[in-house]
């Protein structure tokens, strides 16, 4: 497989959106922690495991309901308690693994969680070495990527692909950059992104892995301070990084928050979270809102608070006074195998899960488009229609 390098002039994006306030929500129950494993399923947020002070590895499972701002403690994760681990959701199930287990064992296991049954299932372990704080990301075509992190010998840059459909692992080309641990990472469609982190220094380089052809592309360096050990997520076709430590390996002075646009390889600064940066926090997204969870503050306090931020204010969506200029309509809703969309000529459609994952996108030069939903699991989704005038409207649909 060939490695491709590109270099494109990058400038800071200027935030043109009105700022909104962060809002404190109900704190995580149980022990405070850093390195929580976070993901979203069925419109609810999950926090699993992590490390409590002074250095206690956890295996609890907490579920957050945004409609009532309440947490529920679920049965514990049945695998080894762990910290420095990660997880992600895909097609209604969650996947979690790796990290540091009892006896300082670096783990290479993988588990699947089904929220409908409450059951955890152990899957095939990775053929790679066990490791702490790797990249852990799932692309829209059901490929889970694990790589980087530090194993018993030190920092790594290998890259492994797990096929959810076949429960099999295959090693891919290494990250083109230096070995590192605690990177930032996310998925946008069928592409996985990874970079930053700590190895021989702290980095600001950034890379894209194309799951369709197995090729790496070197992107522009992040234009701000080098950083490590924050949180990340993807939402609505963009990637986000939040908080962490800077080039001096100390908490950032502010809770810095950035959005990455793959269309122009550009980073846009968002409103920072309250206080200074946090080490090893977590984040999940529900219905356009990010929930930033726990971590360690600049005074070495381990936290369990939760702060929410409305992401609709950072990505343009038409206001009520603008909707009429985009006469989009969707039929039927609920939909079964197909969704028919009409709008003005030359429009683009993106279908997103409630946690902002890009499910599919399409565009047309005509005034109508049919989306094939036959392989999409039942549930509630967002459909965004961007007209030729650049105005975007959004509707919720039900896939039956």
């Amino acid at each position: 497989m060939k490695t491709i390098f590109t270099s494109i002039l990058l400038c800071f994006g200027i935030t043109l959106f009105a700022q909104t306030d962060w809002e404190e929500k109900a704190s995580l129950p149980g022990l405070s922690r850093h390195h929580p494993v976070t993901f979203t399923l069925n419109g609810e947020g999950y926090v699993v495991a992590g490390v409590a002070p002074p250095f206690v590895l956890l295996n609890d499972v907490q579920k957050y309901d945004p409609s009532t701002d309440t947490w529920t403690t679920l049965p514990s994760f049945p695998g080894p308690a762990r910290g420095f681990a990660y997880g992600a959701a895909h097609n209604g199930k969650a996947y979690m693994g790796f990290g540091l287990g009892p006896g300082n064992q670096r783990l290479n296991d993988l588990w699947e969680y089904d929220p409908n049954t409450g059951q955890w299932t152990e899957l095939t372990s990775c053929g790679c070495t066990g490791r702490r704080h790797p990249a852990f990301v799932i692309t829209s075509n059901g490929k889970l990527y694990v790589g980087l992190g530090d194993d018993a010998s030190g920092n790594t840059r290998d890259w492994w692909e797990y096929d959810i459909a076949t429960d099999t692992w295959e090693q891919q080309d290494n990250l083109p950059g230096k070995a590192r641990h605690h990177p930032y990472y996310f998925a946008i469609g069928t592409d996985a992104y990874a970079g930053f982190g700590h190895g021989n220094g702290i980095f600001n380089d950034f890379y894209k892995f194309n799951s369709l052809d197995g090729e790496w592309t070197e992107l522009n360096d992040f234009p701000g301070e080098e950083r490590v050990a924050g949180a990340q997520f993807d939402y609505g076709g963009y990637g986000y990084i939040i908080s962490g430590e800077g080039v001096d390996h100390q908490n950032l002075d502010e809770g810095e928050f950035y959005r990455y646009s793959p269309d122009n390889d550009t980073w846009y600064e968002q409103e920072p979270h309250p206080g200074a940066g946090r080490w090893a926090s977590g984040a999940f997204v529900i219905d356009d809102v990010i929930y930033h969870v726990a971590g360690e503050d600049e005074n070495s306090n381990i936290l369990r608070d939760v702060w929410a931020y409305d992401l609709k204010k950072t990505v343009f969506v038409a206001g009520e006074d603008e909707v009429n200029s985009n006469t989009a309509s969707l039929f039927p809703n609920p939909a079964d195998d197909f969704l028919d969309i009409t709008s003005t000529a030359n429009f683009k459609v993106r279908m997103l899960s409630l946690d902002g994952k890009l499910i599919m996108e399409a565009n047309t030069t005509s005034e109508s488009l049919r989306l094939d939903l036959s392989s999409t699991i039942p549930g509630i989704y967002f459909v965004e229609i961007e007209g030729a005038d650049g105005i975007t409207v959004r509707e919720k649909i039900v896939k039956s």
Side-chain angles (χ1 to χ4, degrees):
M1 286 176 275
K2 182 175 63 176
T3 301
I4 298 176
F5 296 93
T6 63
S7 179
I8 305 170
L9 180 64
L10 174 67
C11 298
F12 261 118
I14 299 174
T15 303
L16 301 177
F17 312 103
Q19 289 190 342
T20 60
D21 293 330
W22 284 83
E23 180 181 359
E24 188 168 13
K25 297 294 185 178
S27 293
L28 183 69
L31 298 174
S32 56
R33 68 195 70 197
H34 56 78
H35 289 93
V37 176
T38 53
F39 49 81
T40 303
L41 290 169
N42 297 338
E44 296 176 305
Y46 287 77
V47 172
V48 185
V51 183
F55 196 86
V56 179
L57 301 177
L58 303 175
N59 68 346
D60 61 328
V61 180
Q62 310 291 343
K63 182 176 71 171
Y64 178 74
D65 183 345
S67 66
T68 57
D69 188 27
T70 57
W71 291 89
T72 301
T73 300
L74 302 179
S76 296
F77 168 64
R82 68 192 61 206
F84 311 94
Y86 296 100
H90 177 75
N91 266 3
K93 295 181 180 180
Y95 299 84
M96 167 181 148
F98 296 82
L100 186 73
N104 289 325
Q105 179 187 8
R106 284 170 166 81
L107 304 169
N108 67 345
D109 57 348
L110 183 65
W111 296 74
E112 179 186 77
Y113 177 71
D114 186 339
N116 297 316
T117 63
Q119 297 298 308
W120 291 89
T121 302
E122 187 169 12
L123 305 172
T124 299
S125 294
C126 182
C128 58
T129 56
R131 63 196 64 198
R132 303 182 306 175
H133 31 50
F136 187 107
V137 58
I138 305 178
T139 54
S140 61
N141 54 344
K143 308 296 185 182
L144 188 159
Y145 293 97
V146 176
L148 319 181
D150 61 335
D151 63 15
S153 300
N155 292 307
T156 67
R157 64 186 188 96
D158 56 343
W159 192 249
W160 294 75
E161 178 185 276
Y162 174 79
D163 189 321
I164 292 174
T166 62
D167 187 31
T168 56
W169 290 90
E170 181 179 358
Q171 187 170 6
Q172 303 294 317
D173 285 351
N174 290 350
L175 178 84
K178 296 179 180 179
R180 69 195 68 199
H181 67 272
H182 235 315
Y184 291 83
Y185 59 85
F186 44 75
I188 303 175
T190 57
D191 294 324
Y193 295 78
F196 311 95
H198 186 200
N200 184 16
I202 294 178
F203 309 129
N204 67 349
D205 54 342
F206 199 52
Y207 303 87
K208 178 178 74 173
F209 181 82
N210 185 328
S211 69
L212 302 180
D213 61 19
E215 294 181 342
W216 284 101
T217 300
E218 184 175 6
L219 303 170
N220 294 295
D221 289 348
F222 177 69
E225 182 179 353
E226 296 87 342
R227 62 198 57 212
V228 62
Q232 59 277 306
F233 59 94
D234 57 273
Y235 160 84
Y238 299 95
Y240 290 81
I241 64 171
I242 185 168
S243 212
E245 295 182 329
V247 69
D248 57 357
H249 219 319
Q250 300 297 314
N251 292 51
L252 292 164
D253 292 338
E254 290 189 312
E256 296 184 10
F257 184 25
Y258 289 87
R259 170 169 58 92
Y260 176 76
S261 172
D263 292 338
N264 56 6
D265 191 13
T266 300
W267 293 91
Y268 296 85
E269 189 169 7
Q270 312 298 302
E271 183 185 359
H273 69 71
R278 298 185 180 195
W279 177 71
S281 56
F284 55 82
V285 180
I286 306 172
D287 209 359
D288 296 321
V289 176
I290 171 188
Y291 297 85
H292 189 222
V293 182
E296 181 179 288
D297 70 12
E298 72 277 18
N299 298 312
S300 300
N301 297 310
I302 311 301
L303 307 171
R304 62 184 185 92
D305 57 345
V306 179
W307 290 84
Y309 183 89
D310 186 353
L311 288 165
K312 290 194 299 296
K313 302 301 182 181
T314 71
V315 179
F316 179 76
V317 177
E320 291 182 1
D321 58 337
E322 298 167 311
V323 169
N324 289 337
S325 66
N326 185 339
T327 57
S329 64
L330 302 86
F331 182 83
N333 190 9
D336 190 4
D337 288 339
F338 296 97
L339 178 69
D340 290 314
I341 302 170
T342 59
S343 183
T344 55
N346 297 301
F347 66 92
K348 180 178 180 180
V349 175
R350 295 191 300 172
M351 183 173 175
L352 314 173
S353 63
L354 287 182
D355 59 345
K357 303 287 186 184
L358 181 63
I359 305 300
M360 66 177 73
E361 59 183 341
N363 57 71
T364 180
T365 57
S366 71
E367 297 180 352
S368 63
L369 180 69
R370 169 167 283 194
L371 290 185
D372 183 354
L373 308 184
S374 58
S375 61
T376 306
I377 63 171
I380 300 174
Y381 297 87
F382 292 120
V383 174
E384 294 183 345
I385 303 100
E386 180 181 345
D389 55 6
I391 292 178
T392 300
V393 294
R394 169 185 283 199
E395 299 286 347
K396 275 187 178 179
I397 69 157
V398 177
K399 165 63 168 65
S400 57

